[in-house]
Amino acid sequence: MNNKRDIRALSKEELRRFFEEHGDKAFRGNQVYEWLWQKGAHTFEAMTSLPKATREMLDKHFSINHIKVDVMQRSSDGTIKNAVRLHDGLLVESVLIPTDTRTTACVSSQVGCSLNCTFCATARLKRMRNLLPDEIFDQVRMIDAQSRLFFDRPLSNIVFMGMGEPLMNYHNVLKAIEKITSEEGLGMSAKRITVSTSGVPKLIRKMADDDVKFKLAVSLHSAIDSVRTTIMPFNQQFPLAELREALAYWYQKTKNRITYEYVVWKGINDQPKDVEALIKFCKFAPSKVNLIEYNPIDGGDFQQADPKVLTLYQTMLEAAGITVTVRHSRGKDIDAACGQLANKTVVSN
């Protein structure tokens, strides 16, 4: 911990102005910006194209609050989970998910979570703070390096499905994505990025108004208000009718298909009426439903539904003309699967 300002909070223009104010040439700001975002320098000493005196001046005024991998775990299926330590000592988790054709980074946006989903381990931590844009960016850069090291290919996709509710950290998430997609950053396509939200109507509308280019996924889990409120209590503040109106606005503005993430639990949402409600909810716009295998977090009240129920969902959704996939979770043996982040690694630190 130190009192120096994190240099990555400065824009390129602010860096250029800093150098001018300190009697140096403005183009030094361009050089530093490139070292920070394209080359991923973690120290000023590593910025070898700068004169030694310039590096010493930067070190006097600024810090680079980069993340560090505290613990890395590898699953039997190849999934990698990282416990990431931030500059203030707090921890988040991020995951590298490999398949035969792609590698996906699952990144966190908050330390803990702003919401209170009863089936999710992260929600038990509560929200301690939002991640900064550079901390989100660093997770992606780190996982890209792991993808190249362990799978001999660059990172292909990013999902904001780690710890936290991305829309409750709206400004920093969008700023991080801007850096990730910029040619001055990682140069990744926005079409390869998915932001997953539990459903904050006002901010879904704002995303549409801001003309974002990334994809949207909604953690739905029930299209019946009373059921959804039981498992996702914040649904009382953001009921399904409001969520649906916001998603209709999103589709009207973007023309992008909406993806719904949906876990089916025994005794909670495993009846034909639950499927019928989901179909009715989805019908207003082109959509895709990902049926997700549930991952227990401590032997609690939630149990995976019978496979026959997943088949029922799939059959009824397809008959209604809705695209559906069944997503089998990866990394369960290291608690890296959906809903398990922070279950053991973070809590034990």
Side-chain angles (χ1 to χ4, degrees):
M1 298 287 290
N2 60 65
N3 295 321
K4 297 178 186 177
R5 187 177 183 188
D6 183 356
I7 194 169
R8 288 188 295 178
L10 275 64
S11 66
K12 185 193 292 186
E13 291 70 28
E14 289 172 321
L15 284 170
R16 289 173 59 88
R17 191 159 55 247
F18 169 82
F19 280 102
E20 288 179 324
E21 291 170 352
H22 286 77
D24 209 331
K25 298 178 176 64
F27 80 87
R28 293 289 184 209
N30 298 15
Q31 290 179 303
V32 171
Y33 194 86
E34 181 180 357
W35 275 109
L36 292 171
W37 298 108
Q38 276 193 323
K39 298 179 180 179
H42 285 175
T43 66
F44 297 113
E45 190 61 31
M47 300 179 181
T48 51
S49 62
L50 301 179
K52 190 173 191 299
T54 301
R55 285 177 272 162
E56 290 174 349
M57 179 181 69
L58 289 171
D59 190 53
K60 179 181 177 181
H61 287 88
F62 300 107
S63 62
I64 305 174
N65 294 333
H66 63 89
I67 66 172
K68 298 177 182 178
V69 176
D70 209 51
V71 179
M72 185 186 79
Q73 296 173 275
R74 296 193 70 184
S75 168
S76 58
D77 63 23
T79 299
I80 296 173
K81 183 174 76 168
N82 300 288
V84 176
R85 191 168 296 277
L86 308 176
H87 73 279
D88 56 4
L90 294 175
L91 283 166
V92 294
E93 294 184 336
S94 55
V95 182
L96 169 59
I97 306 164
T99 68
D100 291 339
T101 57
R102 64 175 61 181
T103 51
T104 299
C106 177
V107 299
S108 294
S109 56
Q110 296 180 311
V111 184
C113 187
S114 302
L115 304 180
N116 50 4
C117 302
T118 55
F119 54 85
C120 180
T122 307
R124 299 181 177 184
L125 295 177
K126 304 304 178 185
R127 187 187 73 84
M128 287 172 257
R129 71 170 175 86
N130 289 331
L131 292 188
L132 299 172
D134 53 279
E135 294 170 326
I136 297 169
F137 179 91
D138 279 354
Q139 291 176 75
V140 176
R141 180 180 285 282
M142 172 197 69
I143 293 176
D144 177 58
Q146 290 178 333
S147 178
R148 294 171 189 270
L149 175 63
F150 294 110
F151 302 99
D152 198 30
R153 59 181 186 266
L155 184 67
S156 60
N157 296 81
I158 303 167
V159 293
F160 282 78
M161 296 183 186
M163 295 169 63
E165 165 54 58
L167 297 194
M168 292 297 194
N169 188 15
Y170 187 90
H171 175 75
N172 288 347
V173 166
L174 262 63
K175 199 166 183 180
I177 291 174
E178 180 184 331
K179 288 287 192 296
I180 291 164
T181 57
S182 169
E183 290 304 319
E184 295 182 314
L186 297 181
M188 291 191 68
S189 169
K191 294 179 180 179
R192 294 183 174 272
I193 300 173
T194 299
V195 171
S196 178
T197 174
S198 295
V200 186
K202 178 175 71 174
L203 294 172
I204 290 172
R205 287 175 176 271
K206 180 167 174 54
M207 281 198 302
D209 288 337
D210 287 343
D211 193 29
V212 301
K213 304 302 181 186
F214 51 77
K215 297 176 181 177
L216 172 67
V218 178
S219 295
L220 191 62
H221 310 308
S222 177
I224 300 173
D225 265 316
S226 59
V227 176
R228 195 168 193 258
T229 298
T230 299
I231 58 176
M232 305 170 80
F234 68 88
N235 186 69
Q236 286 184 311
Q237 284 73 49
F238 309 123
L240 287 166
E242 288 184 27
L243 175 59
R244 181 168 169 160
E245 286 179 10
L247 292 171
Y249 184 78
W250 161 272
Y251 179 71
Q252 175 192 348
K253 295 276 285 190
T254 68
K255 301 304 179 188
N256 288 334
R257 182 175 72 172
I258 302 161
T259 296
Y260 297 103
E261 308 288 348
Y262 197 102
V263 179
V264 186
W265 291 283
K266 181 179 180 181
I268 294 175
N269 57 353
D270 60 352
Q271 299 300 309
K273 67 177 182 180
D274 296 296
V275 194
E276 291 163 1
L278 176 59
I279 292 169
K280 183 177 179 182
F281 187 90
C282 290
K283 277 295 188 177
F284 69 93
S287 60
K288 173 186 176 182
V289 175
N290 285 333
L291 297 174
I292 304 172
E293 180 182 11
Y294 177 61
N295 307 294
I297 57 175
D298 62 2
D301 296 333
F302 293 90
Q303 299 177 42
Q304 174 68 39
D306 191 292
K308 292 179 181 178
V309 178
L310 289 179
T311 301
L312 175 67
Y313 263 91
Q314 191 167 11
T315 301
M316 291 179 66
L317 286 164
E318 288 176 346
I322 298 169
T323 302
V324 57
T325 60
V326 178
R327 202 168 79 198
H328 298 289
S329 295
R330 300 171 64 88
K332 289 188 289 186
D333 57 327
I334 56 171
D335 297 296
C338 288
Q340 291 185 318
L341 293 191
N343 185 29
K344 292 180 181 177
T345 308
V346 170
V347 172
S348 64
N349 280 270

